[in-house]
Amino acid sequence: MSANHLSLVADIKNKNLNLNVIKQLLVFINAHLSNSDLNSASIHINTSILLDTQEDDIGFGDISERFIRYVNNYYVGCRNDVSTASSTLASTLAQSLCHVNRKIVQESKSTFRILVVAASDDVPPEYVSLMNSIFAAQKSKIVIDVVQIYNCNTIFLQQAAHLTGGNFIQATDPESLVQYLIMAFLPSQPLRARLVQPRSDKVDFRAACFCHKRIVDIAYICSVCLSIFCQPPQRCSTCNSVFPAKTLQKFTGSLQTHSHAPFQPSSLRESL
Amino acid sequence: MNELLVNYLKGLSKFNLNRLFNDKSSTLTIYRLLDDLNKQIISSLLFSSKLLDQSTLELLYKDADLVPLIELNIIDNSNGSITLNEQFKHSLKQILIGREIESLSNSITTTIEQLDTFATQQWELILHYMVGSYNSTPSKGVLFLLEKSNLIYTANKQHRISSKGFQFLLEDVQVQLWQLLLEYLSLSEIRQMDLVEVLSFLFVLGTLELGKDYSIESLTNTQQAMLSDLRDYGLVWQRKTSSKRFYPTRLATTLTSSAPPLLPTTESSSFTTSSDNKRFIILETNYRLYAYTSNPLQISILNLFVTLKARYPNLVIGVITRDSIRSALSNGITAEQIIGYLTSHAHTQMHRNNPLLPVTVSDQIRLWELEKNRLKADDGVLYAEFRSQPDYEILLNYAKSYDCVLWSNDIKRMFFVTLEGHQIVREFVRRRIPGNNNSSTSSQTPVSL
């Protein structure tokens, strides 16, 4: 039996997590910790590390106290300030990865996984940083699990789970969230192979373009760095490659002839 | 991690198990002892209001094996559906929803180093005594326990290490501890101590914090009585025997953990934090053995099967000889145990070799053991004094067809069959040759190989 570290990543804004959900998340963390005395957990919310059971040396009871106090303070704090409601999910995930990466160096024997609690819609501007985090996780063999509560639209996180070999679960009934969590996310990676687990058979692989951050079905790809664009640009915004004028002309030509092309911004917006 | 403990728990009565489940630290410890799949099954049942039946279980969990859970009285599947033991469910739920396990008290008045030194001293005293290199003797209670668990035996009014004892020395500290503690548990019944109280105290010890002191007032009388025994094993430390407070040592706090009991100790200690320190033996094809250790305990263990030639500050040189191995064998230590010890303690330099130990040496050790076991005893029945050759042949062929003939001699008209074969052959004799009373001599004869 090897040690397993669980990082819980959540982004709270607009009171998207109520006390009931938080309580159930805490029970899940406790369940993870009680599975083995080698297990540890850390909680990352809104780009801050709330706690790490290994580094802080705190017991079961303290975890819930800290978590609830933090969320309370946050809600009280943002009551007056509506503008703070921007998404920090991508940066929180990136931060948790950094945290885990530091741990990997320290203790190579442990296994690591991240559970992302998705309680709000995707924010297309976060696409690039989110994807980078996903590839980083993939490379260091960190599994990203995603639980989606409420009916929000999170195709990026769905891809995150798919690419890192994690589970993606839509908890349709937040009241029984803990049961979803225990069934889908409690087992460690080797154990999951021995279970029959819910799998999402359909993964939405659409990407967001780099230029206008729109989610697109078909797009233009930079032949050098594979950046995605919804309209053919003069030069690549990522790697600065200049595209041949001829090709651009051809594309603009096809744009005009097929006005119903799916990459056209107007039609795209309607389809979404 | 700890099969010893699980098997012991399986042997407890349902009533006692239920009483254990009443205690939260015991529940958590038992839960952690289970394998991952069973943990998953239990946690999935914890908050579910739906009943789970056998067929759904098989759908959800491939190769689920509930037998250990049923044996531990955690799960009941007698009436078609699978239900958790109420008491167990309640305690585990309490743990998960964050009702803290009450800590007894805390104030730091002693250093962790002090506790470690004490624990190491006490524990090494026991081990040293077992290998016969001791300056002082452990307390009578410890000796009694060692003898009861067949780790040592008395020969010529002196205690000698047994085969089981040698095996014991090869184990991790944690396994050693539990082996002794389980023996202690079985003795506790004779001493009229309540089994559940003893066991749950041990589990509680595993959840206490190192370096803090705890009051004995919240302990039951039985548990208070245990303290003096536990002090002898180095599990707890008390300032004075009459002291009202006790300190768990590292041996105690890692009792139920799956981490190795980390005892960071001095040069001369046998407990090692890194595996490098454990690997100190270099064995050459010419039977010479170099052990980079200054630890008296390790040297004493080696002395059991190696003729030691020279000793330097950090190095011991010895030779494995026929005599040294034979003296170990006559103590009941087996060749496999010796080879296992050499393998697990082989120096990192040796790990470049494949196979790890020189084949000449390991084979020779096995051969020396075979030398000792030239005779093998089989229980069976000798058939003899047949009247005629055909009688003999019919019966022999019949017995051979059942593959139960161990030995036969055509000239003397005798053969020897196993005990199981005897039943069949005797039936055959009764059926086929009613008047023929060829005598079969029942005996227990060693057959030479």
Side-chain angles (χ1 to χ4, degrees), chain A residues 179 182-183 186, chain B residues 39-48 52 61:
Chain A
Q179 193 66 20
I182 284 177
M183 293 299 280
L186 187 60
Chain B
K39 280 185 208 164
Q40 178 63 24
I41 294 175
I42 291 175
S43 28
S44 71
L45 285 170
L46 263 188
F47 294 97
S48 169
L52 185 68
Y61 308 99

Side-chain angles (χ1 to χ4, degrees), chain A residues 38-237:
Chain A
L38 298 175
N39 282 359
S40 52
S42 56
I43 301 179
H44 307 259
I45 299 178
N46 291 12
T47 64
S48 62
I49 304 174
L50 197 57
L51 54 92
D52 184 309
T53 53
Q54 242 170 353
E55 284 157 23
D56 302 355
D57 192 30
I58 54 175
F60 280 3
D62 304 327
I63 299 177
S64 40
E65 201 195 299
R66 267 208 220 181
F67 196 166
I68 291 172
R69 197 178 342 121
Y70 178 87
V71 176
N72 244 338
N73 287 348
Y74 180 81
Y75 284 158
V76 170
C78 68
R79 188 178 292 162
N80 319 321
D81 189 7
V82 195
S83 62
T84 51
S86 66
S87 173
T88 56
L89 191 65
S91 37
T92 315
L93 181 65
Q95 188 209 37
S96 75
L97 276 169
C98 294
H99 186 73
V100 165
N101 196 42
R102 185 160 55 83
K103 282 176 162 295
I104 290 179
V105 179
Q106 285 166 359
E107 46 206 299
S108 48
K109 276 181 191 163
S110 305
T111 51
F112 296 89
R113 55 197 167 120
I114 292 175
L115 173 64
V116 180
V117 183
S120 44
D121 287 351
D122 273 338
V123 185
E126 282 190 327
Y127 176 74
V128 177
S129 52
L130 204 56
M131 270 335 247
N132 284 339
S133 295
I134 293 171
F135 293 134
Q138 209 179 16
K139 204 170 174 201
S140 16
K141 298 202 172 62
I142 300 166
V143 174
I144 300 183
D145 290 320
V146 181
V147 59
Q148 179 189 321
I149 42 180
Y150 316 122
N151 281 325
C152 47
N153 185 20
T154 57
I155 66 166
F156 299 156
L157 289 173
Q158 211 171 332
Q159 292 177 31
H162 178 84
L163 290 172
T164 56
N167 282 341
F168 177 86
I169 296 287
Q170 189 155 20
T172 37
D173 176 15
E175 292 302 305
S176 52
L177 178 67
V178 69
Q179 193 66 20
Y180 285 103
L181 294 174
I182 284 177
M183 293 299 280
F185 304 122
L186 187 60
S188 59
Q189 207 56 25
L191 183 60
R192 286 184 194 179
R194 296 167 63 194
L195 305 179
V196 182
Q197 286 212 310
R199 295 241 168 270
S200 45
D201 39 344
K202 221 170 66 184
V203 182
D204 192 340
F205 279 117
R206 282 183 304 168
C209 70
F210 288 19
C211 47
H212 302 91
K213 318 288 181 199
R214 296 187 194 103
I215 295 172
V216 288
D217 289 313
I218 300 176
Y220 297 96
I221 306 287
C222 167
S223 53
V224 178
C225 69
L226 303 182
S227 299
I228 304 166
F229 302 101
C230 60
Q231 288 166 327
Q234 299 273 319
R235 56 169 60 222
C236 173
S237 60

Side-chain angles (χ1 to χ4, degrees), chain B residues 1 3 6 53 131 268 280 374 382 397 437 448:
Chain B
M1 56 149 183
E3 276 179 52
V6 175
D53 56 31
V131 289
S268 65
F280 58 89
R374 265 182 266 196
L382 180 72
N397 287 334
N437 275 339
S448 60

Side-chain angles (χ1 to χ4, degrees), chain B residues 1 10-11 25 41 61 75 122 138 188 207 215 298 318 362 386:
Chain B
M1 56 149 183
K10 280 177 185 168
S25 19
I41 294 175
Y61 308 99
I75 264 184
Q122 292 294 322
S188 67
T207 58
S215 161
Q298 299 286 16
S362 54
F386 288 91

Side-chain angles (χ1 to χ4, degrees), chain B residues 250-395:
Chain B
R250 205 182 289 272
L251 284 177
T253 52
T254 52
L255 204 51
T256 53
S257 102
S258 34
L262 300 165
L263 278 183
T265 33
T266 49
E267 280 279 298
S268 65
S269 163
S270 63
F271 303 115
T272 42
T273 43
S274 68
S275 51
D276 277 358
N277 294 5
K278 227 179 118 188
R279 303 197 174 136
F280 58 89
I281 293 178
I282 289 184
L283 182 62
E284 295 183 339
T285 44
N286 57 6
Y287 300 88
R288 285 180 81 84
L289 184 140
Y290 302 88
Y292 287 90
T293 178
S294 54
N295 175 355
L297 181 65
Q298 299 286 16
I299 295 171
S300 315
I301 293 177
L302 283 175
N303 199 20
L304 290 172
F305 60 89
V306 180
T307 314
L308 297 179
K309 293 281 185 199
R311 184 164 172 192
Y312 299 105
N314 70 334
L315 172 69
V316 184
I317 298 175
V319 186
I320 291 183
T321 62
R322 181 162 174 268
D323 286 339
S324 70
I325 294 289
R326 278 173 65 86
S327 77
L329 293 172
S330 65
N331 270 334
I333 300 166
T334 67
E336 281 313 315
Q337 285 176 335
I338 295 173
I339 292 168
Y341 179 84
L342 291 173
T343 312
S344 61
H345 292 81
H347 197 277
T348 26
Q349 293 277 335
M350 299 260 302
H351 282 263
R352 282 194 224 146
N353 306 342
N354 185 30
L356 190 69
L357 297 180
V359 185
T360 44
V361 181
S362 54
D363 279 356
Q364 188 61 61
I365 294 176
R366 289 202 187 93
L367 286 175
W368 279 326
E369 188 186 38
L370 281 180
E371 244 174 49
K372 229 183 127 241
N373 307 331
R374 265 182 266 196
L375 287 185
K376 182 182 147 219
D378 274 302
D379 286 350
V381 176
L382 180 72
Y383 285 74
E385 294 175 37
F386 288 91
R387 280 190 199 147
S388 64
Q389 188 69 18
D391 275 1
Y392 166 74
E393 276 168 9
I394 290 170
L395 205 56

Side-chain angles (χ1 to χ4, degrees), chain B residues 46-65:
Chain B
L46 263 188
F47 294 97
S48 169
S49 52
K50 282 191 190 128
L51 284 175
L52 185 68
D53 56 31
Q54 190 68 38
S55 56
T56 327
L57 180 92
E58 276 159 19
L59 274 179
L60 283 172
Y61 308 99
K62 303 171 208 164
D63 59 27
D65 178 19

